[in-house]
Amino acid sequence: MAHINVHTNLRNSRPLILFAGALLLLLLTQLWVITGKYQQDMREDLHGSIKAQLALLGATLQEAAIRGDLAQIKRNLEMWGQAHSEILAIRAISPNGFELVHYQAGALQGDMYVHKSAITVDGRQLITLEVTHNLSMINDRLRTMTLYMGVVSSLISGLFALTVWWIMTRFAIAPLNQELAARQRAENMIRESQQALVKAQLVAHMGSWSSDVAIEHMEWSQGLCQLLGVKVDEAPLPVERLLGLVPQPQQQSVLEMLDRLSQQQQNQVQMEHRIHRETGGVLQVLHRCERVEGANGPRVQGILIDTSQSEALRGALAASEEKFRNLFDNMGSGVAIYEAIDNGDDFIIRGFNKASTVFTKLDRESILGKRVTEIFPGIRAMGLLDLFKRVWHSGVPEHLPLTQYSDQRITQWVENYVYRLENGEVVAVFDDVTSNRQAQQELAQSELRFREMAETLEDVFWITSAHGHRILYVNPAFEKVWGYSVQALEQDINLWSQSIHPEDRARVEEALLQSTSHADGFDQEYRIVRGDDGQLRWIHNRGYPIEEQGQVVRVVGLATDITAKKENEAALQQAMRQAQQASQAKSEFLAAMSHEIRTPMNTVIGMTELLLETPLSEEQQRYVRSLRSSGTALLDVINAILDLTRIESGRLELTEERYDLHELMRETCEVMGYAAAKKKLEMVLEMNPNTPNYLVGDAPRLRQILINLVGNAIKFTEVGQVCVRVWLDEAVERLRIEVEDSGIGIPKEHINTIFDMFAQADSSMARRFGGSGLGLTISQRLAQLMGGRLAVQSQVQKGSCFTLSMPCQIGEEPAQEVVTETQSLTRQTLRILLAEDSVDNQNLIQAYLSRTSHELIYAINGEEAERYVKSGQPVDLILMDIQMPLVDGYTATRRIRAWEQQQGRPAVPIVALTAHALKEDEMRSLEAGCDAHLTKPIGKKQLLQVLAHYPRRESTP
């Protein structure tokens, strides 16, 4: 029943079966056509893949082919063949047809495909690659598919209507699946090939892209993405992605290159440019692009090869060549390169460095390419040409010792070292030692002159090793100074240190040791004990280390016998000590004489003042005034002598205090104006408006100079005037004071000695005008201490002009004092303790105070004064003489101050009365505790003014 149904169905379905069969036959026919087309497409795709692989392989081998590195080419071919299983053999063939490198992976049998590709640079063919591929696998699949198609066709013709659907479902789909499987396997092979291509690109630092002819979007290979550090999130990428990585200046050139391909102006282009990596860095790449015909029409492919390392190598090679050229040109020795001709009988000059041109005095450009025998006609006579030939033949370097070369142009002493290069050229390295030989001769002459000079020196000239362990040279003067022979010192260098006095030896040895560590050397004076007679001699030894390349190599020195100098210095020091003792004795004598003279003069002048206060006749008053004038004159002489003594001994110190210059000038002129008025002379003071009001300096000493100058002008002027002019010389910031008179003038022969001590124009002046002759001397010395000087211009019977020029320091204006309340000094009765051992001075003080209410208490020495104060009896003021028996005034004052401090009592005022008139005497009084210092002789008015400063003290229990 089933069979009947089948047949029925078949019969009923015959039209359908026939239709299905026809349809199936039509489908199988179409499938057969498609299979053929697929086989053809597979072959075309394989050919395109093979061509791309060969282009990539050619780019990889280009650098090695340029260098001719067959070993590198072979390694790359082996690596390429191992990475591609379908490759059976690879051959590298030279342009003339010779096989250079051969690689074979297996037996050359079955269906094979051979492809050739040429590697060219700048249009020049370097090598041809011949690659043999195994197509057996693909052909086997194609044959199997064809067999399947035949079986299917046979079954379809044997089966008919009832089995048509089963045949269609069973045998029509299965071949299709098999075909898809075959296509999948082919695609896998292509994928494997592409992966191998990616690996090769990564190894070769290259990448590729492909695009349609419009070049609007690109498909980047994995190698290109890794090369440029780009992470691909989409495919294809727009062309702007690649152009954006190209530096701006080169973008237009890359775009124009792509346009030429797109517009079919060129089928193959390439250029070098820089490109940025998105992860950082810049690469130098070779960018090659070409149009290819694919299965789906023309396409554009591009390859980017990283040539940064090649650029670096070329740069290193260029730098190396530059270094060689610099080394060649800047060598201190002459270097010449020669090429042999005529079988070595002559040579052509191919290279000449700068030193060679200097040595030979030739221009390099004018001699290159010329025969050496033409340029140096004397080269054969000196034997250098034969040496060139021997080295050229044997390749063994040779040395021509110092030899004289001579021709009509130059004569030189040269030394040559000759070598042969691998290319057969001969190199000669030579030095012109003519100047060295001249220097050697001059050195020999210099050494001779040095030895002659050293051996005639009276000083000991010596040279030792760096640390003084060995004597290199010592001149014959050593024997005279040290008392040892030079031979003895050379045999035993310890004689040098052993002869040094034991007290000086350690110091000198240490100085000599340290001299090797610094460039200053050493300079020592020490004593030695002569070896022959044991005499003690003084030596001044100077040593100087000599350095070479930063190291001390020897020490040279000069030792001088300074015994006579030391003896003279000792004598001079003794004389100086004696002079200082004499000066000290003179100062002490003058101080003592001043004290002894001032003490009685205090009484004489004081008594004259008291006599003038008593009723006297006119004649008696004249006698007393004469007595007072003589005493004052004597006192002036004493003061002048003391001032001069202090100036000469350097003990006169100037004070630095602010003072009113205008007031000082007015007061001085007013005081001296009385003397001028007595002689009916006009006293004129001219103050320039630019004169500052306040200066800083020693006003008393300036007043002393002015009094001397104005006093002399009045003394030597009988008629006319004395004019004092003051102004500031702003150009040099110096104060100028002129004192001009219309007196007798100074003769020219005496004007240069006018400032000498005790000097006057002539001896008659001393008798006529009086004076000690010290005033101008002291004034000049004081001016010099102030940094100034005195100058004089004078004409006999017309007058003189003395000019004081001194630096000035302008002082600040004093602050305006605000007086809130004034209290007049009340005249009070003081209890005064007078400590004075001179009865005359006691009587004088008592006479000064006889008409006052002051109470006077006497102490004849410092001990009595101290005892009185400590007794607690009331006292308001102490007049303390300094020079007294038992206890002097200094000691008594210090003891009283110490007792007051111990007892917590207020200090009683102490005024020193002394005949010591020096500044240091005043300072000593103040340091001892005195409140004031009065120098004898003391006038009544002066004493009363001092007493008026001290009020009465309250009684202290």
Side-chain angles (χ1 to χ4, degrees), residues 880 882 889-890 893 897 910-912 924-933:
M880 182 75 72
I882 295 300
Y890 297 131
T893 300
R897 294 302 186 212
I910 302 177
V911 178
R924 186 178 177 187
S925 298
L926 298 178
E927 290 173 357
C930 295
D931 297 281
H933 181 91

mmCIF file of all heavy atoms in Angstrom, residues 880 882 889-890 893 897 910-912 924-933:
data_model
loop_
_atom_site.group_PDB
_atom_site.id
_atom_site.type_symbol
_atom_site.label_atom_id
_atom_site.label_comp_id
_atom_site.label_asym_id
_atom_site.label_seq_id
_atom_site.Cartn_x
_atom_site.Cartn_y
_atom_site.Cartn_z
ATOM 1 N N MET A 880 90.826 118.920 94.869
ATOM 2 C CA MET A 880 91.837 117.886 95.101
ATOM 3 C C MET A 880 93.051 118.143 94.220
ATOM 4 O O MET A 880 92.988 118.066 92.986
ATOM 5 C CB MET A 880 91.247 116.507 94.781
ATOM 6 C CG MET A 880 92.194 115.337 95.022
ATOM 7 S SD MET A 880 92.411 114.956 96.765
ATOM 8 C CE MET A 880 90.802 114.231 97.125
ATOM 9 N N ILE A 882 96.502 116.937 92.708
ATOM 10 C CA ILE A 882 96.837 115.581 92.258
ATOM 11 C C ILE A 882 98.171 115.122 92.823
ATOM 12 O O ILE A 882 98.298 114.013 93.334
ATOM 13 C CB ILE A 882 96.839 115.502 90.714
ATOM 14 C CG1 ILE A 882 95.416 115.746 90.188
ATOM 15 C CG2 ILE A 882 97.354 114.159 90.222
ATOM 16 C CD1 ILE A 882 94.390 114.757 90.675
ATOM 17 N N GLY A 889 96.386 112.582 94.735
ATOM 18 C CA GLY A 889 94.982 112.888 94.521
ATOM 19 C C GLY A 889 94.211 111.765 93.833
ATOM 20 O O GLY A 889 93.025 111.546 94.126
ATOM 21 N N TYR A 890 94.860 111.024 92.880
ATOM 22 C CA TYR A 890 94.177 109.911 92.214
ATOM 23 C C TYR A 890 93.757 108.849 93.229
ATOM 24 O O TYR A 890 92.613 108.391 93.246
ATOM 25 C CB TYR A 890 95.088 109.274 91.161
ATOM 26 C CG TYR A 890 95.482 110.192 90.027
ATOM 27 C CD1 TYR A 890 96.821 110.309 89.639
ATOM 28 C CD2 TYR A 890 94.535 110.936 89.346
ATOM 29 C CE1 TYR A 890 97.195 111.132 88.597
ATOM 30 C CE2 TYR A 890 94.903 111.773 88.302
ATOM 31 C CZ TYR A 890 96.234 111.879 87.934
ATOM 32 O OH TYR A 890 96.600 112.702 86.893
ATOM 33 N N THR A 893 91.025 109.999 95.661
ATOM 34 C CA THR A 893 89.700 110.065 95.023
ATOM 35 C C THR A 893 89.100 108.675 94.884
ATOM 36 O O THR A 893 87.910 108.458 95.176
ATOM 37 C CB THR A 893 89.827 110.727 93.643
ATOM 38 O OG1 THR A 893 90.361 112.051 93.795
ATOM 39 C CG2 THR A 893 88.481 110.807 92.966
ATOM 40 N N ARG A 897 85.588 107.376 96.654
ATOM 41 C CA ARG A 897 84.471 106.855 95.863
ATOM 42 C C ARG A 897 84.097 105.438 96.301
ATOM 43 O O ARG A 897 82.909 105.096 96.388
ATOM 44 C CB ARG A 897 84.813 106.874 94.378
ATOM 45 C CG ARG A 897 84.994 108.257 93.776
ATOM 46 C CD ARG A 897 83.772 109.090 93.938
ATOM 47 N NE ARG A 897 83.877 110.385 93.251
ATOM 48 C CZ ARG A 897 83.311 111.494 93.671
ATOM 49 N NH1 ARG A 897 82.589 111.483 94.792
ATOM 50 N NH2 ARG A 897 83.449 112.627 93.009
ATOM 51 N N ILE A 910 84.125 116.268 93.409
ATOM 52 C CA ILE A 910 85.583 116.402 93.540
ATOM 53 C C ILE A 910 86.094 117.058 92.276
ATOM 54 O O ILE A 910 85.879 116.551 91.164
ATOM 55 C CB ILE A 910 86.268 115.046 93.769
ATOM 56 C CG1 ILE A 910 85.727 114.359 95.024
ATOM 57 C CG2 ILE A 910 87.780 115.217 93.854
ATOM 58 C CD1 ILE A 910 86.303 112.974 95.264
ATOM 59 N N VAL A 911 86.781 118.199 92.412
ATOM 60 C CA VAL A 911 87.372 118.914 91.292
ATOM 61 C C VAL A 911 88.882 118.798 91.408
ATOM 62 O O VAL A 911 89.460 119.177 92.436
ATOM 63 C CB VAL A 911 86.937 120.376 91.242
ATOM 64 C CG1 VAL A 911 87.616 121.103 90.083
ATOM 65 C CG2 VAL A 911 85.431 120.490 91.120
ATOM 66 N N ALA A 912 89.521 118.256 90.356
ATOM 67 C CA ALA A 912 90.979 118.077 90.382
ATOM 68 C C ALA A 912 91.654 119.410 90.100
ATOM 69 O O ALA A 912 91.292 120.132 89.163
ATOM 70 C CB ALA A 912 91.387 117.027 89.349
ATOM 71 N N ARG A 924 92.675 110.720 83.066
ATOM 72 C CA ARG A 924 93.034 109.931 84.248
ATOM 73 C C ARG A 924 92.298 110.444 85.481
ATOM 74 O O ARG A 924 91.851 109.657 86.319
ATOM 75 C CB ARG A 924 94.548 109.986 84.451
ATOM 76 C CG ARG A 924 95.061 109.077 85.562
ATOM 77 C CD ARG A 924 96.566 109.154 85.661
ATOM 78 N NE ARG A 924 97.049 108.326 86.772
ATOM 79 C CZ ARG A 924 98.309 108.296 87.198
ATOM 80 N NH1 ARG A 924 99.235 109.049 86.570
ATOM 81 N NH2 ARG A 924 98.658 107.531 88.201
ATOM 82 N N SER A 925 92.150 111.758 85.571
ATOM 83 C CA SER A 925 91.424 112.340 86.709
ATOM 84 C C SER A 925 89.964 111.914 86.680
ATOM 85 O O SER A 925 89.396 111.525 87.716
ATOM 86 C CB SER A 925 91.524 113.866 86.668
ATOM 87 O OG SER A 925 92.865 114.285 86.774
ATOM 88 N N LEU A 926 89.358 111.983 85.510
ATOM 89 C CA LEU A 926 87.953 111.601 85.399
ATOM 90 C C LEU A 926 87.752 110.113 85.663
ATOM 91 O O LEU A 926 86.764 109.705 86.285
ATOM 92 C CB LEU A 926 87.422 111.966 84.012
ATOM 93 C CG LEU A 926 87.453 113.472 83.664
ATOM 94 C CD1 LEU A 926 86.948 113.695 82.246
ATOM 95 C CD2 LEU A 926 86.612 114.273 84.663
ATOM 96 N N GLU A 927 88.693 109.282 85.204
ATOM 97 C CA GLU A 927 88.589 107.844 85.452
ATOM 98 C C GLU A 927 88.732 107.519 86.932
ATOM 99 O O GLU A 927 88.114 106.575 87.434
ATOM 100 C CB GLU A 927 89.656 107.094 84.659
ATOM 101 C CG GLU A 927 89.409 107.098 83.150
ATOM 102 C CD GLU A 927 90.559 106.495 82.383
ATOM 103 O OE1 GLU A 927 91.572 106.119 83.030
ATOM 104 O OE2 GLU A 927 90.477 106.408 81.145
ATOM 105 N N ALA A 928 89.531 108.321 87.661
ATOM 106 C CA ALA A 928 89.692 108.077 89.100
ATOM 107 C C ALA A 928 88.430 108.429 89.877
ATOM 108 O O ALA A 928 88.237 107.944 91.005
ATOM 109 C CB ALA A 928 90.878 108.878 89.632
ATOM 110 N N GLY A 929 87.560 109.268 89.312
ATOM 111 C CA GLY A 929 86.312 109.612 89.988
ATOM 112 C C GLY A 929 86.072 111.095 90.145
ATOM 113 O O GLY A 929 85.063 111.499 90.751
ATOM 114 N N CYS A 930 86.965 111.937 89.619
ATOM 115 C CA CYS A 930 86.770 113.380 89.723
ATOM 116 C C CYS A 930 85.633 113.825 88.805
ATOM 117 O O CYS A 930 85.393 113.223 87.767
ATOM 118 C CB CYS A 930 88.056 114.122 89.354
ATOM 119 S SG CYS A 930 89.427 113.814 90.496
ATOM 120 N N ASP A 931 84.984 114.923 89.202
ATOM 121 C CA ASP A 931 83.885 115.449 88.401
ATOM 122 C C ASP A 931 84.356 116.496 87.410
ATOM 123 O O ASP A 931 83.664 116.751 86.416
ATOM 124 C CB ASP A 931 82.821 116.060 89.316
ATOM 125 C CG ASP A 931 82.203 114.994 90.223
ATOM 126 O OD1 ASP A 931 81.334 114.248 89.743
ATOM 127 O OD2 ASP A 931 82.609 114.895 91.402
ATOM 128 N N ALA A 932 85.482 117.142 87.679
ATOM 129 C CA ALA A 932 86.015 118.165 86.781
ATOM 130 C C ALA A 932 87.520 118.220 86.954
ATOM 131 O O ALA A 932 88.081 117.667 87.906
ATOM 132 C CB ALA A 932 85.398 119.524 87.067
ATOM 133 N N HIS A 933 88.194 118.893 85.980
ATOM 134 C CA HIS A 933 89.651 118.945 85.963
ATOM 135 C C HIS A 933 90.074 120.376 85.633
ATOM 136 O O HIS A 933 89.747 120.890 84.561
ATOM 137 C CB HIS A 933 90.192 117.972 84.903
ATOM 138 C CG HIS A 933 91.683 117.930 84.822
ATOM 139 N ND1 HIS A 933 92.448 117.055 85.557
ATOM 140 C CD2 HIS A 933 92.571 118.666 84.078
ATOM 141 C CE1 HIS A 933 93.724 117.231 85.264
ATOM 142 N NE2 HIS A 933 93.820 118.220 84.369
#
